[in-house]
Amino acid sequence: MTTRLKAACCAACLVLGSAARAQSDPEQKLPLWEIGVGGVALSTPSYPGAGQHETRVLVFPNIVYRGRVLRADRSGIAARLFRSDRVELDVGFAGALPSDSDDVDERQGMPDLGPLAEFGPRLKVKLADFGDHRSLRAELPLRAVIEARGGLHHRGTTFEPRLTYEIAGPQGLWSLEAMGSVVLGDRKINRHFYEVAPQFATSARPAYAADAGLVLSRLGLFGTRRVNQDLRVFGYLRYESYRGTANRASPLHVKDSGVSGGVGVLWTFKRSAARARGGESL
């Protein structure tokens, strides 16, 4: 998913898995589940190529589940289909918040962007293990996008090949991830964000038919720091480039780059006595 909608939800989801992996120790079994609460303040472009930023403060449940098949972590909820030392395949869900077009100058008078959900397979491959809790992995998620606004509507498909370098401190005291990805969308999802139908055209916003192709290129950093057993702080910074994208000519495309970031806290107040036996995610 490509807009601030995903940034708002996934900033929260990102914490869950990264904090969980930062706690991992090959000599120690982790709790089967953990429950808590978190909060994050973030600022992000209204959508890729928008001329405006929006700021949000979110409070979200912190739920981690490490089952053999069912997993709940930074990527949402997923059913693991296959796992080896270097390869993992799952089918997962992820969600995103709605966007009010009246809050975005370029979309004034156009339909709102409703809540979105993603569903589909994801292949994860560990490319290298450098020791000392340092690794490089590739992720290949292919997701159908569903909008929940006046019913359920299929809004297209996205593909986001991603490389992630991860390093963790001793005993999970801290963790840092650096990642790079590109987001590709079919014509349907690009129409959802960039098309201007004739009835919404104005003198400053001509009609436009969107094409399939590149949506954005992305570089990001994400880090966590453990304050004590139950409390963590985290932050992220993300740069996105919209140069050379398939719909740069859209009147809804105003800027060629965007920066988002956020800081927050994660508190765990309950964890199971039972230990996970399914192995950590890659």
Side-chain angles (χ1 to χ4, degrees), residues 38 169 175 185:
S175 69

Side-chain angles (χ1 to χ4, degrees), residues 207-225:
Y208 178 80
D211 293 323
L214 180 66
V215 179
L216 59 84
S217 303
R218 175 182 291 151
L219 295 173
L221 287 173
F222 175 80
T224 68
R225 173 80 180 188

Side-chain angles (χ1 to χ4, degrees), residues 18-19 22 166-169 172-177 222-225 232:
S18 292
E166 180 180 11
I167 181 171
L173 183 63
W174 56 269
S175 69
L176 180 66
E177 290 188 0
F222 175 80
T224 68
R225 173 80 180 188
R232 282 185 176 270

Side-chain angles (χ1 to χ4, degrees), residues 229-264:
Q229 181 181 4
D230 299 322
L231 187 66
R232 282 185 176 270
V233 294
F234 64 89
Y236 80 95
L237 183 65
R238 179 181 294 163
Y239 171 81
E240 295 177 343
S241 173
Y242 316 122
R243 293 182 181 274
T245 56
N247 294 284
R248 192 178 177 190
S250 169
L252 301 179
H253 185 291
V254 179
K255 297 186 69 176
D256 284 336
S257 64
V259 177
S260 60
V263 293

